[in-house]
């Protein structure tokens, strides 16, 4: 929620106060101090344990890849990927579905909106096969923004004085411009969750083996009730659902369901609303576009979590959310790296303009917090 708000800043402190005093009518869900105390332990469990750092670099960056990167030749390839990888669903999302005119190499076929990067790897320490499976944390140390991204290439040339090249989309999401400082970390722990099924390696024999080793299809978590919201539209033809946006209702279940059913005011909605007891309500079909994250609605699924600005997720709610996210990732083939907090969603028209999803996923309002929760729970 909270795409509403310019007023959000005003609204927020107001909402906080009542909750402590546990006062009146407006936000009935705050009858819940009892539920809150146990949750405050939660952040501890959300932060992944000590991670073995396998690669870390900090220094200047630039951007690369995609059709507009004239610094790459039309047939330039990538150190970590071969054309056969285009058949592999674990990797193919990094590339444009068809080669841009005149482009034969993979470098300029990269989808510049996806999150990838290049560093000068030492393949003895971080072998290519490991890097292909790795998920790195890429941070802007100046503003604290962070995102997960995939290594795709070796570079930049040492003569540039830079340590990394990022995709244009990743750089934009982190608020980085050429020669800003970036920090990149790959840890053993973070690499594990993205390890693809071994058989999905893109070759023909792998294709045959794939069905065997692919994880069994997950069942969709039970939806307690479909409460239809009128505030939705058809997705544009050909739009791929490629991200999940996490929200905090900053209000009660009842108020969220009511607001999303009104079409005479802000006309907002979300695909799902998860109550603090873990009940999942659906309000918009996945196939349709909900109005939850202005600028990034077209390819996203929005999940609201009932809570106040200072709440953590309640344990059953966290479990329900993780189960729903797992199912959505599989159902729509969404990369794990594309799970964002509202304020940090690429394309969101007012980054930094909302406090949503507040402290639900950890003590700090940051994408790094969301990513850590995802790594630990999903
Ligand atoms: Zn929100």
């Amino acid at each position: 929620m909270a795409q509403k708000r310019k007023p959000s800043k005003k609204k927020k402190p107001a909402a906080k106060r009542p909750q402590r005093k546990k006062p009146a009518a407006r936000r009935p869900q705050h009858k819940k101090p009892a539920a809150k105390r146990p949750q405050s332990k939660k952040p501890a469990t959300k932060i992944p344990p000590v991670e073995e750092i396998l690669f870390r670099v900090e220094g200047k960056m630039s951007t690369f890849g995609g059709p507009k990167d004239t610094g790459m030749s039309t047939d330039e390839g990538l150190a970590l990927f071969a054309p056969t990888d285009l058949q592999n669903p674990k990797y193919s999302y990094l590339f444009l579905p068809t080669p841009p005119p005149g482009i034969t190499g993979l470098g300029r076929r990269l989808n510049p909106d996806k999150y990838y990067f290049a560093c000068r790897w030492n393949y003895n320490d971080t072998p290519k096969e490991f890097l292909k499976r790795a998920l790195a944390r890429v941070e802007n140390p100046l503003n604290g923004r962070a995102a997960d991204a995939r290594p795709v290439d070796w570079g930049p040339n040492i003569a540039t004085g830079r340590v990394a090249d990022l995709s244009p989309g990743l750089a934009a999401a982190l608020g980085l411009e050429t020669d800003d400082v970036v920090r990149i970390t790959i840890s053993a722990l973070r690499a594990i969750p993205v390890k693809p099924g071994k058989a999905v390696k893109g070759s023909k024999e792998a294709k045959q083996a794939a069905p065997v080793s692919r994880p069994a299809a997950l069942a969709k978590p039970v939806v307690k009730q479909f409460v239809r919201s009128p505030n939705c539209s058809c997705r544009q033809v050909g739009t791929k659902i490629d991200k999940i946006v996490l929200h905090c209702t900053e209000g009660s279940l009842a108020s969220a369901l009511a607001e999303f059913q009104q079409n005479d005011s802000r006309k907002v909605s979300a695909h799902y609303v998860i109550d603090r007891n873990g009940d999942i309500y659906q309000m918009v079909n996945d196939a349709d576009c909900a109005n939850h994250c202005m600028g990034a609605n077209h390819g996203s699924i929005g999940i609201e979590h009932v809570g106040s600005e200072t709440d953590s997720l309640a344990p059953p709610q966290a479990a329900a959310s993780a189960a729903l996210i797992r199912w959505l990732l599989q159902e729509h083939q969404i990369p794990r790296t594309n799970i964002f907090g509202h304020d940090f969603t690429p394309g969101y028209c007012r980054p930094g303009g909302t406090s949503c999803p507040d402290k639900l996923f950890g003590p700090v309002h940051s994408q790094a917090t969301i990513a850590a929760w995802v790594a630990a729970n999903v």
Side-chain angles (χ1 to χ4, degrees):
M1 195 114 100
Q3 77 172 300
K4 17 176 167 181
R5 308 169 184 238
K6 297 187 171 168
S8 110
K9 301 224 158 143
K10 288 174 208 160
K11 206 171 176 183
K12 222 175 100 182
K16 240 179 216 161
R17 240 169 287 125
Q19 177 196 0
R20 284 196 186 127
K21 291 185 201 154
K22 179 182 174 194
R26 195 163 137 240
R27 306 223 160 183
Q29 94 279 18
H30 297 315
K31 58 178 175 211
K32 288 211 170 183
K36 269 175 88 174
R37 235 165 283 127
Q39 288 151 28
S40 53
K41 313 185 226 156
K42 248 263 153 174
T45 63
K46 284 174 199 158
I47 305 301
V50 177
E51 299 186 10
E52 185 193 351
I53 304 298
L54 299 177
F55 175 85
R56 175 163 252 175
V57 72
E58 185 164 340
K60 290 181 180 179
M61 51 63 69
S62 186
T63 56
F64 87 112
K68 293 182 183 161
D69 183 358
T70 50
M72 296 186 99
S73 60
T74 54
D75 62 353
E76 195 165 338
L78 296 170
L80 302 181
F81 291 95
T84 50
D85 292 316
L86 292 170
Q87 315 310 320
N88 185 337
K90 295 281 180 193
Y91 306 134
S92 56
Y93 78 92
L94 290 165
F95 299 92
L96 297 167
T98 53
I103 303 298
T104 54
L106 289 183
R108 290 176 68 178
R109 188 164 166 182
L110 282 163
N111 182 336
D113 296 333
K114 301 300 177 187
Y115 291 2
Y116 59 80
F117 69 99
C119 284
R120 288 187 296 278
W121 311 107
N122 173 339
Y123 294 131
N124 291 323
D125 297 338
T126 49
K128 284 188 184 183
E129 279 308 307
F130 166 80
L131 290 169
K132 281 180 77 165
R133 300 192 315 257
L135 185 63
R137 175 77 53 80
V138 182
E139 300 169 77
N140 178 342
L142 273 188
N143 63 13
R145 292 198 166 204
D148 290 340
R150 306 290 297 267
V152 298
D153 202 7
W154 191 98
N157 189 304
I158 196 163
T160 61
R162 302 181 187 124
V163 300
D165 280 339
L166 314 185
S167 72
L170 176 59
L174 300 181
L176 289 168
E177 291 181 4
T178 297
D179 287 336
D180 285 347
V181 170
V182 66
R183 181 189 301 143
I184 298 178
T185 309
I186 299 178
S187 69
L189 193 65
R190 303 304 310 288
I192 292 162
V194 285
K195 198 183 250 182
K198 275 196 190 122
V200 199
K201 276 213 171 156
S203 62
K204 274 177 195 152
E205 78 259 88
K207 250 185 180 170
Q208 290 172 335
V212 181
S213 66
R214 205 169 272 164
L218 297 168
K220 182 173 182 174
V222 174
V223 168
K224 181 171 183 180
Q225 199 182 341
F226 195 105
V227 183
R228 191 185 161 277
S229 168
N231 304 326
C232 61
S233 54
C234 295
R235 293 192 196 269
Q236 276 184 331
V237 177
T239 301
K240 163 109 178 68
I241 298 172
D242 66 355
K243 54 179 92 65
I244 296 173
V245 181
L246 305 177
H247 299 268
C248 173
T249 56
E250 300 174 353
S252 67
L253 173 71
S255 66
L257 296 182
E259 179 163 27
F260 295 167
Q261 289 176 88
Q262 275 174 25
N263 73 346
D264 56 353
S265 56
R266 301 191 301 112
K267 295 186 192 288
V268 290
S269 60
H271 293 88
Y272 298 94
V273 181
I274 305 181
D275 198 4
R276 297 193 67 76
N277 66 5
D279 285 345
I280 300 174
Y281 296 80
Q282 185 161 6
M283 302 196 71
V284 173
N285 283 314
D286 291 2
D288 292 328
C289 191
N291 299 336
H292 59 99
C293 185
M294 208 182 295
N297 287 320
H298 54 283
S300 65
I301 296 279
I303 306 176
E304 288 279 356
H305 301 79
V306 175
S308 76
E309 291 89 338
T310 52
D311 279 333
S312 315
L313 290 175
Q317 185 181 34
S321 183
L324 178 59
I325 292 170
R326 258 179 245 125
W327 178 79
L328 288 166
L329 292 179
Q330 179 168 326
E331 179 70 11
H332 302 296
Q333 292 287 296
I334 302 169
R336 287 176 65 87
T337 46
N338 285 9
I339 303 168
F340 302 99
H342 181 169
D343 199 22
F344 315 109
T345 306
Y348 172 49
C349 64
R350 216 158 41 225
T354 174
S355 58
C356 177
D358 299 289
K359 310 277 170 59
L360 283 181
F361 297 88
V364 179
H365 178 65
S366 72
Q367 179 59 27
T369 301
I370 307 284
W373 181 86
V374 169
N377 294 280
V378 174

